[in-house]
Amino acid sequence: MIPSKTLLPTITPPGRYGQLVELITAAAELGEAEAERLADDLLAGLGLYGPTPELVDELCSAMFFDADPDSGGWVQCGESPGHVLRGEVLHRGLWGEGRWSDDHRQAVPAEDNEA
């Protein structure tokens, strides 16, 4: 199981994230993809998380922020929706990375209709 961090995560709201990307795009004359990468690196350096990405359909909606600089970013649970109700208390990364619980400090629990 992935060990918890000591600080609570701060997730940047999508609107503010968009403003940051627009500012970086204008100031550095970068394309959107490069500006998003730079914004993500900047937020991570400040101890902040970018907004959660769109969910992959037909999978559990729980998300985990992997702060590892080599593979960092949001990871969606790869299990089927409702697996926690069936007794599986841990989520598993979409591509098999790590396992976490809903109460982990870097986790966003599954949507209410799955819990």
Side-chain angles (χ1 to χ4, degrees):
M1 186 156 117
I2 299 169
S4 288
K5 300 287 183 184
T6 57
L7 299 175
L8 291 173
T10 301
I11 301 171
T12 305
R16 286 212 177 137
Y17 181 80
Q19 291 172 334
L20 178 60
V21 170
E22 286 178 20
L23 179 64
I24 291 171
T25 300
E29 297 181 358
L30 295 173
E32 188 173 344
E34 292 88 3
E36 286 178 354
R37 279 194 294 277
L38 186 58
D40 291 340
D41 290 345
L42 176 63
L43 290 172
L46 295 171
L48 305 172
Y49 303 159
T52 57
E54 292 201 26
L55 297 172
V56 175
D57 291 336
E58 300 178 16
L59 293 176
C60 173
S61 62
M63 300 289 283
F64 179 81
F65 190 81
D66 183 353
D68 181 337
D70 294 327
S71 62
W74 288 106
V75 177
Q76 183 175 349
C77 178
E79 302 289 342
S80 62
H83 70 95
V84 174
L85 291 174
R86 294 188 296 277
E88 299 171 21
V89 295
L90 297 178
H91 299 283
R92 181 189 322 265
L94 185 56
W95 293 280
E97 317 92 347
R99 295 175 65 83
W100 70 92
S101 63
D102 280 337
D103 63 351
H104 193 286
R105 295 177 191 271
Q106 291 167 236
V108 175
E111 294 176 354
D112 287 342
N113 59 352
E114 294 179 36

